[in-house]
Amino acid sequence: MKHTIDIQVVLATVEDMDFWDDRASEATDRLNTILHMLYDKAHEDINSTSLENMIQYIWENWREDAHLLDIDEDDLYDWVDQLLATWDDEHQEPR
């Protein structure tokens, strides 16, 4: 159930994004945008473990991704849609 997860707890801070040096604030905003997109688009009845795993996946794959600040927001929406549509906790493959 989506409501059991507090999205505010999983959002990035500037300190989390130290990889980005002087662009850490911008990177923080972008990562948090992706996390909010996921949370907003997830169905209310989503399995909380699956949602937690997707949040972790976003953190692992986007935190230091060189394209984080360059990717178009529409493309991010598409990426989140694809993540939600294809997620399988048991057989999750790297994307």
Side-chain angles (χ1 to χ4, degrees):
M1 301 297 246
K2 181 167 117 172
H3 71 277
T4 62
I5 297 174
D6 181 0
I7 191 65
Q8 299 302 316
V9 173
V10 299
L11 296 178
T13 65
V14 173
E15 291 79 22
D16 295 324
M17 305 300 280
D18 58 353
F19 169 82
W20 292 93
D21 297 323
D22 61 335
R23 297 186 77 189
S25 180
E26 188 179 351
T28 300
D29 290 343
R30 181 51 67 100
L31 182 62
N32 288 341
T33 295
I34 300 169
L35 293 167
H36 275 288
M37 285 178 185
L38 173 69
Y39 192 81
D40 292 345
K41 288 179 160 266
H43 192 276
E44 291 298 323
D45 292 333
I46 191 170
N47 178 297
S48 59
T49 300
S50 293
L51 184 56
E52 288 171 353
N53 289 340
M54 284 184 250
I55 290 168
Q56 182 65 33
Y57 182 82
I58 288 171
W59 266 91
E60 291 172 4
N61 286 278
W62 283 103
R63 181 173 174 255
E64 295 183 5
D65 189 291
H67 302 291
L68 179 63
L69 300 180
D70 300 326
I71 192 165
D72 181 81
E73 197 161 309
D74 289 336
D75 290 337
L76 286 176
Y77 275 112
D78 291 343
W79 185 87
V80 169
D81 283 342
Q82 181 69 17
L83 181 70
L84 284 165
T86 62
W87 187 264
D88 180 352
D89 285 314
E90 288 187 37
H91 301 100
Q92 188 55 40
E93 298 289 329
R95 294 182 192 271

